[in-house]
């Protein structure tokens, strides 16, 4: 399992938005500048966050993006799952994976299954508010 650049950037964007005034829309350009993310890459991330209903956006003067919920209501797992899909450590544990022919005799499957649970539980337990400036 490796977190993609898109996943890491999405987390940075979400933290940035969480640290702004909750009632204001924040321009994509200002987030991109603060986070050192190219506007072109931001144009790929923001629609994904909007379609996942993690942020809402409006166009035009005074437009931008803001969170749809309080920072403590977002888990890192939710954000990374949206951007990177399943956090499975091996292909046979990914969502909708076909059952492996060796699953019944695989000595490592219980270990991978437990690791998958540990990863998901940990990421689901870390809230966006935990990552904000203290």
């Amino acid at each position: 399992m490796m977190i993609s650049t898109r996943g890491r950037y999405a987390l940075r964007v979400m933290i940035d938005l969480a640290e702004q005034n909750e009632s204001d829309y924040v321009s994509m350009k200002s987030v991109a500048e603060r986070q050192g993310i190219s506007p072109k890459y931001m144009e790929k991330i923001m629609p994904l966050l909007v379609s996942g209903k993690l942020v809402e956006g409006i166009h035009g003067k005074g437009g931008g993006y803001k969170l749809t919920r309080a920072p403590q209501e977002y888990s890192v797992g939710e954000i990374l799952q949206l951007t990177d899909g399943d956090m499975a450590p091996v292909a046979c544990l990914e969502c909708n994976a076909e059952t492996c022919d060796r699953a019944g005799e695989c000595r490592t499957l219980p270990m991978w299954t437990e690791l998958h649970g540990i990863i998901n539980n940990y990421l689901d337990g870390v809230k966006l508010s935990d990552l904000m400036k203290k």
Side-chain angles (χ1 to χ4, degrees):
M1 172 197 82
M2 190 153 168
I3 307 301
S4 70
T5 299
R6 180 175 52 191
R8 293 190 328 270
Y9 283 6
L11 277 174
R12 286 169 44 190
V13 167
M14 293 293 290
I15 294 165
D16 191 291
L17 291 174
E19 291 175 340
Q20 307 308 312
N21 184 337
E22 291 181 28
S23 63
D24 293 339
Y25 284 90
V26 181
S27 75
M28 185 175 69
K29 182 180 177 183
S30 68
V31 174
E33 287 173 359
R34 278 192 300 276
Q35 296 303 316
I37 301 172
S38 75
K40 190 170 186 137
Y41 212 105
M42 288 288 289
E43 290 173 1
K44 293 179 181 179
I45 295 170
M46 298 315 294
L48 187 61
L49 297 176
V50 170
S51 69
K53 300 190 185 336
L54 301 184
V55 302
E56 61 182 38
I58 57 171
H59 297 285
K61 187 173 178 147
Y65 297 90
K66 69 178 183 177
L67 300 181
T68 58
R69 304 187 309 254
Q72 63 271 18
E73 295 177 20
Y74 292 92
S75 74
V76 169
E78 170 186 23
I79 297 164
L80 291 177
Q81 205 163 37
L82 177 67
T83 59
D84 288 359
D86 198 329
M87 297 284 109
V90 291
C92 62
L93 292 178
E94 291 177 351
C95 290
N96 302 320
E98 290 186 30
T99 303
C100 175
D101 295 339
R102 298 185 43 82
E105 61 198 42
C106 181
R107 293 181 177 170
T108 61
L109 183 58
M111 175 191 65
W112 296 128
T113 302
E114 186 174 348
L115 177 60
H116 190 212
I118 291 168
I119 291 168
N120 285 329
N121 287 336
Y122 176 75
L123 294 175
D124 288 342
V126 178
K127 303 300 179 187
L128 190 58
S129 56
D130 297 330
L131 304 176
M132 295 169 63
K133 291 179 186 170
K134 301 286 181 192

